[in-house]
Amino acid sequence: MSLKIMYFLDDGQGFGGAANTLLQQAVLMKGAGHKVWLCISNERSEEIGEEYFHICEKSDMEMIRLPFQISSHPEDIDVLSIISNYPVVRDGIREYAPDLLHSIQMNPVVELASRELSIPHIMNIYQIQEQFFSISYTDLFARYHICDSWYYADIWKKMIHTDSVCIRTIASRSSNRRKRDGDHERVRYCCVGGMFTRKNQLEVMKAFEMAVREGVKGELYFYGYDRGSYADSCKEYVKEKNLEEFIKIEGFCSGMEEEYEKADVLLCGSTCESYPNVISEALAHGLVVISTPVAGVPEVIRDGYNGYLCEGYSKISIYEKIMEFDRERKSGKVDEILRNAENTYQTVHSPKSVGSELMKYYRHVLEENRKIPLVTVEEIREKFFDLVNRYAKNKDSFAHPDMVRLKLWYIYHIKEILERQISKGGKKVYIWGAGRLAGTMIAVMKSFFPLIKVQGFLDRDKQGSRLFELPVYAPGEIVQKQDSLILVGLTNGQEEVLELLRRHSRVYNQDFFVLTPRIW
């Protein structure tokens, strides 16, 4: 069965793991003889990243430019983009007459077109928090869904009744892959990924430091984006502890193939992830995997069989597995683990295995092609008419208009809840964040919630001062008050703020709302 498939990515400027996964799936289908088009958005820019050009040229894939926006959060959908771009996207799809549409993340304008044209639409999307669906959103979500872990596939299925399947990431191996064994003096460890709190590199560093103090011989190399406050704290730790001899922070690396070939062990410390793509890459290159048990990792890595699975996410848990590996490389057991890991790669991550699973799901989708309720762009335009007009009228008052634009969808769906909490629940409204976004938050309230009175700001660094003629309170002073309703208006430190609110038993989309872009 020969298929015609349109793959929808983002605007071509960013190239992360999710984009790479969809591109590799497109390459597989092209190589299997199917007709493939790669659609890249030109809404924000006509430029395309080098990675896209390289892959398209190498695989002889045709590239199409259409205007659309994607979202990795069900809260941040661009309503204006849907309304303005729908006719162009629909007509573009109709012109090519594909059998299937396959998108990265959530692509609501493609989903609307798929329903009107009766062409099945699949989304690749991974992490999700159940709290995102604590309110009922307008139904613009694809029903067919590919995830890289069963852990999150089941959550999506539970929350919006998707037809979900787990298909692992593809990892191609180097033609000059070196043979590895555990019988050499010094071991080269690597930790791959941007330095962010959820990647947990600081705990990995501490674990490795403990192992070195216990006599483990080797070096640990970090690769990935290394800017920001968390990255700074990691660098400072290495400096303070005089660990430069053992821990090397290399920053972003465009040639990871070569670095994998130098390494012996992958250390993955992630605390929040669906299935780290670096694990598939490590297996492809014959590295020993030591990983935390995040989400879908235990579905693939079995402790002591094809890798090492930590009990938790702390430095102690990671340290214990480093020490276990060190003992077993000396005893020779690691050679058996490497053989099992090779079998895991062949059956789970190889192009042949993934291609077979992908084609199996495509056939299933085409055979079922379930009927999904039609939602028209006219209905969306009518539903959001008032908000869109208010946005256009007040746009100049927003210091960050693009950010506000992406929150119109969320504002529409929380407006009634928020107003009910105030009028019937007697709640008092506070904005958490007295920094660069404070002015935009005040403008948002005046534009979209003109009858709601803001009592003040929360900010532990500016407490006791005044901002926009409103008092600034210490967060702890207000959070514990049950009559407070909090609007989170910051991005830096958002994760810590949300965790504190949860610790105080505050309920999302009931006691607090996030009016800025969500940060994972």
Side-chain angles (χ1 to χ4, degrees):
M1 175 171 60
S2 181
L3 300 178
K4 295 182 293 182
I5 312 166
M6 293 181 79
Y7 291 89
F8 290 83
L9 288 112
D10 198 355
D11 62 6
Q13 296 304 297
F15 188 77
N20 184 55
T21 295
L22 189 65
L23 273 171
Q24 293 302 324
Q25 290 171 342
V27 169
L28 279 181
M29 292 299 104
K30 173 70 176 177
H34 303 286
K35 179 62 180 176
V36 168
W37 297 279
L38 201 64
C39 303
I40 299 177
S41 177
N42 59 359
E43 180 174 15
R44 292 183 292 190
S45 173
E46 290 293 336
E47 296 181 4
I48 299 176
E50 290 183 10
E51 295 90 346
Y52 289 93
F53 272 122
H54 174 71
I55 292 174
C56 285
E57 288 179 2
K58 184 178 179 181
S59 305
D60 191 28
M61 280 193 292
E62 183 178 349
M63 192 181 295
I64 301 168
R65 304 304 302 273
L66 290 171
F68 56 85
Q69 290 271 34
I70 66 167
S71 174
S72 59
H73 298 284
E75 298 176 350
D76 298 343
I77 287 175
D78 192 336
V79 174
L80 286 173
S81 176
I82 295 171
I83 293 171
S84 61
N85 294 328
Y86 181 76
V88 178
V89 172
R90 178 201 57 202
D91 293 346
I93 293 172
R94 180 185 281 146
E95 177 185 347
Y96 289 93
D99 301 305
L100 282 170
L101 308 170
H102 193 164
S103 295
I104 183 179
Q105 312 288 21
M106 285 173 281
N107 193 327
V109 73
V110 172
E111 175 61 16
L112 289 183
S114 81
R115 297 186 193 185
E116 179 178 338
L117 301 173
S118 296
I119 302 172
H121 177 216
I122 302 166
M123 66 175 176
N124 274 17
I125 196 163
Y126 312 120
Q127 291 157 268
I128 188 66
Q129 295 179 13
E130 291 190 28
Q131 58 176 284
F132 285 168
F133 290 102
S134 60
I135 53 180
S136 180
Y137 289 112
T138 304
D139 181 13
L140 299 182
F141 306 109
R143 290 299 197 279
Y144 293 106
H145 169 224
I146 293 176
C147 194
D148 60 359
S149 72
W150 284 111
Y151 179 92
Y152 279 108
D154 289 341
I155 293 177
W156 279 101
K157 190 176 210 176
K158 172 185 174 183
M159 300 314 297
I160 58 172
H161 312 295
T162 50
D163 181 316
S164 297
V165 66
C166 171
I167 297 177
R168 305 293 178 185
T169 50
I170 307 158
S172 299
R173 59 180 18 164
S174 171
S175 58
N176 61 346
R177 189 170 69 97
R178 71 178 175 88
K179 185 180 183 302
R180 290 174 171 81
D181 57 53
D183 188 25
H184 53 278
E185 181 68 14
R186 298 187 71 81
V187 176
R188 184 168 175 134
Y189 299 77
C190 68
C191 184
V192 184
M195 284 190 160
F196 302 106
T197 304
R198 63 185 176 88
K199 295 288 188 177
N200 205 29
Q201 286 99 338
L202 191 53
E203 287 298 288
V204 173
M205 288 180 176
K206 293 176 180 178
F208 190 72
E209 178 195 7
M210 292 170 64
V212 168
R213 306 296 186 209
E214 289 294 317
V216 167
K217 292 185 170 66
E219 295 84 31
L220 171 58
Y221 289 77
F222 286 86
Y223 301 97
Y225 177 85
D226 62 344
R227 297 179 183 177
S229 59
Y230 184 75
D232 290 342
S233 65
C234 291
K235 294 174 184 177
E236 189 62 31
Y237 185 82
V238 173
K239 185 177 179 181
E240 284 182 359
K241 297 289 185 173
N242 298 313
L243 298 173
E244 292 90 345
E245 180 184 350
F246 308 104
I247 296 178
K248 321 284 185 181
I249 299 176
E250 302 292 299
F252 176 77
C253 176
S254 59
M256 276 308 300
E257 289 282 330
E258 183 179 344
E259 300 307 319
Y260 279 128
E261 288 306 311
K262 296 176 185 175
D264 302 292
V265 179
L266 173 79
L267 288 179
C268 177
S270 291
T271 61
C272 179
E273 204 155 354
S274 178
Y275 181 82
N277 196 43
V278 294
I279 290 181
S280 61
E281 294 169 353
L283 291 171
H285 288 83
L287 277 67
V288 174
V289 172
I290 301 176
S291 177
T292 52
V294 62
V297 172
E299 300 166 6
V300 175
I301 300 300
R302 292 165 51 193
D303 186 40
Y305 174 75
N306 57 0
Y308 296 88
L309 197 64
C310 306
E311 289 189 4
Y313 304 89
S314 68
K315 62 182 180 181
I316 297 297
S317 293
I318 300 169
Y319 156 79
E320 287 174 349
K321 289 303 171 182
I322 294 173
M323 296 305 295
E324 185 177 339
F325 158 74
D326 193 62
R327 290 192 299 271
E328 293 189 347
R329 79 179 182 89
K330 294 172 182 175
S331 71
K333 185 181 176 182
V334 164
D335 295 338
E336 180 184 348
I337 287 176
L338 285 169
R339 287 192 294 271
N340 293 333
E342 167 64 14
N343 184 59
T344 299
Y345 166 74
Q346 294 294 346
T347 57
V348 176
H349 291 297
S350 68
K352 179 180 178 181
S353 173
V354 175
S356 175
E357 290 296 313
L358 186 60
M359 193 60 203
K360 179 181 176 182
Y361 189 62
Y362 282 167
R363 290 194 187 101
H364 161 73
V365 169
L366 287 167
E367 289 170 2
E368 183 186 73
N369 195 9
R370 61 167 68 178
K371 297 299 180 184
I372 303 173
L374 181 64
V375 179
T376 67
V377 72
E378 287 76 20
E379 290 176 285
I380 299 298
R381 187 181 288 110
E382 181 180 350
K383 182 176 280 192
F384 289 87
F385 181 81
D386 179 57
L387 278 184
V388 169
N389 278 354
R390 291 192 189 199
Y391 173 79
K393 180 180 178 181
N394 295 285
K395 186 176 179 180
D396 291 342
S397 69
F398 303 132
H400 304 84
D402 289 342
M403 185 198 79
V404 177
R405 169 178 171 154
L406 286 175
K407 300 307 293 191
L408 294 179
W409 164 267
Y410 181 64
I411 288 169
Y412 173 86
H413 290 98
I414 67 168
K415 187 172 172 52
E416 183 180 338
I417 301 171
L418 200 157
E419 291 176 345
R420 185 172 61 246
Q421 286 284 72
I422 295 166
S423 63
K424 295 183 179 179
K427 296 292 182 74
K428 296 179 181 179
V429 176
Y430 300 86
I431 296 172
W432 193 319
R436 65 184 182 87
L437 299 179
T440 294
M441 291 300 100
I442 289 294
V444 163
M445 296 306 295
K446 289 180 178 178
S447 300
F448 304 114
F449 306 99
L451 300 180
I452 294 178
K453 180 182 178 182
V454 176
Q455 303 294 318
F457 292 91
L458 307 184
D459 193 301
R460 62 187 175 190
D461 296 325
K462 299 181 181 180
Q463 57 183 324
S465 63
R466 296 186 71 83
L467 185 64
F468 299 104
E469 301 181 358
L470 293 171
V472 180
Y473 298 97
E477 183 181 347
I478 302 299
V479 169
Q480 60 188 350
K481 294 182 178 180
Q482 292 305 305
D483 67 343
S484 64
L485 192 152
I486 295 167
L487 307 178
V488 178
L490 46 73
T491 52
N492 292 334
Q494 185 185 105
E495 184 179 346
E496 291 78 7
V497 168
L498 300 187
E499 178 57 32
L500 189 149
L501 288 166
R502 284 190 285 268
R503 285 204 305 269
H504 281 81
S505 302
R506 311 313 296 271
V507 179
Y508 183 53
N509 288 331
Q510 180 176 315
D511 301 318
F512 70 95
F513 303 81
V514 181
L515 290 182
T516 48
R518 286 303 300 267
I519 307 299
W520 276 110

